Amino acid sequence: MNVDEQSSVLTFLNSKIENIPKFHSAILPKLCGGDRVVDLLFYKPLSYVDRSKSLPDAQVGEFTTFVAKVYEHQRPTSRGRPYRVIVESESQYLFIVFFNYSVKYLYKLFPVGTDIVISGKLEKFAEHWQITHPDYMLSDINLFKEIACIEPVYQLCRGITNKSIRNIISSNLKDLPDLPEWIDETLIKQKKWLNWKESIIRLHRPSSLAEAEVCRERLAYDELFAYQLALKLARENHVKKEGKEFIILSKYKEQVLNELPFQLTNDQIRAIDEISERQKSRYRMVSLLQGDVGSGKTVVALFAMLNVVENNMQAALMAPTTILAEQHYNWIEEALSCTDIKVALLTGKTARKERKIIMNELASGILNIVIGTHALFQANVTFKNLGLAVIDEQQRFGVIQRNRLVGKGENTDILFVTATPIPRTLQQAMYGDVECSILREKPKSRLPIKTVIMNVKKVSDIIQRLKDAINRGEKAYWICPYIEENEELNIAAAEMRFQELQKTFFDRVGIIHGKLTQEQKDQVMFSFKRNEFSLLVATTVIEVGIDVPDATIMIIENAEQFGLSQLHQLRGRVGRGNKPSFCVLLYDNLSKSSYSKLKIMCESQDGFYIAEKDMMLRGSGDILGTKQSGCMEFKFADLYEDRELLNLAYNSAKGTIANFELLLDIFEYRSRLHFSKFQ
């Protein structure tokens, strides 16, 4: 395919969706995620209904489509009873049942003696076969083939029907162009895949459920392959640039190690060595440090920063909140008190006079390490020689935000840090072959957190025990899923629970939630740390990074509403001191699957195991919150179900990258098709 043909295809796929009724023009783009033809064609059905079975072949609970002759109308004998129309098909009689009906309408729809196409779910009541409120009742027998098919079911919203979406998609499939094949021919034969065009068409018009899955799988592979190539090309063009080579002399390492009030774990020692080796490379380092809650990630990041400082360069650590940045600063400043290294804190709260001094010292190189928030990547912040950017809780920053900080140096090394354990599959999808160090082991001083499941009806008993604990000088969190009460949902709201707890704890209880400004949130947390109150009612804003060592109790109300990884992160806010800690998971209505989820929390404190289970239960997108983190959202691929496809795409991309020049043209074209975010 030449350049003109490529341009023609992209023009068509990026053109506005046509044939949309005016009253759907505002709704459909919201459902599809855009108003282009490609957005519409990539709008994957949620499920399919098999209407192809004839009446004799269908079982109870299955859908069936057939032509029947109307035999008789049976009006109900008493009020509240259903209206029945008896029809005959292939020497078999069955009832068509209606509960909300207009007699006049039903006589018009079902004239006795006429043939009619019926499609619906087959039921058996007493000895009679029946269909209640059929999905289709058509007098035009010629429409039978159109109805007796595999019908795609799309996600809907008020104002648009499934039929409307099918019709709009069908009208846009007519002019769908061919694309040159880019998948290995052997793999296509092995997987029995159709080409790209046929896969799109058959996804929306499959001849069988098996065919629909084959088409989804093919398109999922396209998506994963394009994304893996993007990661590898970015690495070739951006990461693998030759730059500085650090000489690791460990000038400060021994000094700091001797001053630490604890021994490093084996995992920490290994991670420090791994990152040091990567820093010695002549290529730019882009590394990921994953650590379970309380595994000591900040210590590892500190030693990476020390390597930079001893090579006469600067390091920056960026955290998502002021309180977390201050927490890091206080610990690092104390750890480096035995050295001549100069550290500063730069946040939105930093006074103007102090900010000016810090910025001057950064620009002149006097300042070795700066710790801060979003303030670090502001345009007027200049470094003399930024050698390493440590991004803490990196998924909480967008891609552009991270790049603004990294761009303040030349070929700056990057160390991403996350306390959210990422399953291997998701890590591979998000980062490709970015090198990763993992901290599973926790310091010996960390005591396990006893976790129990309790019915919310026992809340009065819990409050009494909480009262006893607070009187002993302990602190506690009480987590609610929502901020305000919702009449439609019987789910705990932080503001209501706060008011209830005030009756018992008076001014010893505080509240924090997402509607507060960042300054207000920080003030509440500082007050909690300073013992101005002992019980903190909160939403998930306290999920990551807050370190209050004397907090020993975590109560999570409506725990069934949270994902496993989120529950694990919340639980990690306690158990940070030397006292036994507890986590109480309160539930209201507990389904079998919710009970299994909460049971995992009671049985395991391994964040990586919990993350795998969470991905299996909820899917990949919900674990890190991909919309907020800037990670790619996949339309066809499920990173848990399609693990094998991801490995195939990963390995194929690895082999393809060798043909770098040849790859650039085809990749640019396919990536623009699959991922407009890369443009």
Side-chain angles (χ1 to χ4, degrees), residues 376-413:
L376 290 179
F377 59 70
Q378 301 309 313
N380 56 354
V381 177
T382 306
F383 291 81
K384 181 182 181 183
N385 198 356
L386 181 62
L388 173 67
V390 179
I391 318 287
D392 191 24
E393 291 305 328
Q394 60 81 28
Q395 71 275 8
R396 299 195 168 229
F397 296 98
V399 175
I400 294 171
Q401 292 176 322
R402 298 194 299 248
N403 287 343
R404 279 183 191 162
L405 175 59
V406 173
K408 291 183 179 294
E410 188 175 345
N411 295 336
T412 304
D413 284 348

Side-chain angles (χ1 to χ4, degrees), residues 22 26 42 51 66 84 110 112 146 207 305 320 410 426 442 494 545 602 671:
K22 190 173 181 180
F42 282 5
R51 298 189 184 278
F66 55 93
R84 292 186 175 93
F110 294 99
V112 174
E146 186 179 321
S207 59
M305 291 190 282
E410 188 175 345
L426 187 54
K442 294 181 184 177
C602 294
S671 68

Side-chain angles (χ1 to χ4, degrees), residues 292-312:
D292 202 351
V293 177
S295 57
K297 298 172 292 297
T298 310
V299 181
V300 176
L302 172 61
F303 284 104
M305 291 190 282
L306 293 180
N307 290 338
V308 173
V309 173
E310 71 176 30
N311 279 271
N312 299 314

Side-chain angles (χ1 to χ4, degrees), residues 26-84:
I27 301 171
L28 191 61
K30 289 180 181 177
L31 284 173
C32 298
D35 60 358
R36 303 171 304 162
V37 170
V38 70
D39 297 316
L40 180 69
L41 300 184
F42 282 5
Y43 192 48
K44 181 175 73 72
L46 284 175
S47 61
Y48 297 88
V49 174
D50 185 355
R51 298 189 184 278
S52 64
K53 290 190 176 178
S54 65
L55 188 57
D57 292 338
Q59 303 293 319
V60 173
E62 292 182 334
F63 287 88
T64 177
T65 304
F66 55 93
V67 177
K69 188 177 289 291
V70 180
Y71 180 74
E72 181 186 344
H73 283 245
Q74 284 189 353
R75 293 196 180 199
T77 54
S78 60
R79 192 174 180 181
R81 304 289 293 173
Y83 190 104
R84 292 186 175 93

Side-chain angles (χ1 to χ4, degrees), residues 220-434:
Y221 180 81
D222 270 354
E223 200 170 35
L224 293 168
F225 188 38
Y227 190 55
Q228 288 300 312
L229 285 174
L231 292 172
K232 292 189 182 300
L233 282 169
R235 192 167 178 81
E236 289 290 327
N237 272 342
H238 184 57
V239 175
K240 288 199 170 179
K241 287 184 176 179
E242 292 194 28
K244 63 267 169 191
E245 287 184 59
F246 289 151
I247 299 169
I248 309 298
L249 300 173
S250 300
K251 174 183 171 185
Y252 296 107
K253 185 177 179 181
E254 293 304 320
Q255 276 181 269
V256 174
L257 276 175
N258 290 333
E259 293 297 318
L260 289 179
F262 53 83
Q263 280 192 323
L264 298 181
T265 65
N266 292 329
D267 278 1
Q268 286 174 318
I269 293 168
R270 186 180 65 252
I272 290 166
D273 291 342
E274 287 172 352
I275 293 168
S276 296
E277 282 301 309
R278 293 168 200 154
Q279 288 177 297
K280 283 158 65 174
S281 167
R282 71 177 190 272
Y283 293 119
R284 178 188 201 179
M285 178 189 79
V286 177
S287 196
L288 172 67
L289 175 62
Q290 281 193 76
D292 202 351
V293 177
S295 57
K297 298 172 292 297
T298 310
V299 181
V300 176
L302 172 61
F303 284 104
M305 291 190 282
L306 293 180
N307 290 338
V308 173
V309 173
E310 71 176 30
N311 279 271
N312 299 314
M313 298 187 80
Q314 295 166 300
L317 189 160
M318 183 166 72
T321 65
T322 301
I323 192 165
L324 190 52
E326 292 192 10
Q327 200 167 279
H328 285 319
Y329 171 73
N330 291 334
W331 185 85
I332 288 172
E333 187 185 40
E334 185 178 345
L336 298 182
S337 59
C338 59
T339 70
D340 58 357
I341 295 172
K342 191 161 187 182
V343 189
L345 175 69
L346 182 62
T347 71
K349 291 175 64 178
T350 305
R352 185 178 297 179
K353 186 177 178 181
E354 188 181 353
R355 177 186 297 269
K356 191 174 180 180
I357 294 170
I358 291 171
M359 289 170 67
N360 287 337
E361 291 184 344
L362 275 177
S364 65
I366 294 172
L367 199 54
N368 306 115
I369 296 174
V370 63
I371 297 158
T373 55
H374 301 71
L376 290 179
F377 59 70
Q378 301 309 313
N380 56 354
V381 177
T382 306
F383 291 81
K384 181 182 181 183
N385 198 356
L386 181 62
L388 173 67
V390 179
I391 318 287
D392 191 24
E393 291 305 328
Q394 60 81 28
Q395 71 275 8
R396 299 195 168 229
F397 296 98
V399 175
I400 294 171
Q401 292 176 322
R402 298 194 299 248
N403 287 343
R404 279 183 191 162
L405 175 59
V406 173
K408 291 183 179 294
E410 188 175 345
N411 295 336
T412 304
D413 284 348
I414 309 167
L415 178 61
F416 294 123
V417 180
T418 180
T420 306
I422 306 169
R424 172 63 187 160
T425 308
L426 187 54
Q427 178 198 321
Q428 197 177 57
M430 286 172 57
Y431 298 102
D433 55 0
V434 167

Side-chain angles (χ1 to χ4, degrees), residues 633-653:
E633 293 179 80
F634 295 102
K635 292 180 181 291
F636 303 106
D638 179 294
L639 295 178
Y640 186 81
E641 297 295 335
D642 296 323
R643 296 189 298 278
E644 182 193 343
L645 286 183
L646 176 58
N647 285 329
L648 278 172
Y650 178 82
N651 291 325
S652 296

Side-chain angles (χ1 to χ4, degrees), residues 56 130 174 178 233 325 391 432 437 444 447 479 496 505 599 626 642 672:
Q130 67 179 38
K174 294 173 187 172
D178 285 308
L233 282 169
I391 318 287
S437 296
K444 292 176 182 176
L447 299 172
I479 308 299
M496 290 293 292
F505 297 98
K599 194 178 175 192
T626 54
D642 296 323
R672 285 171 66 194

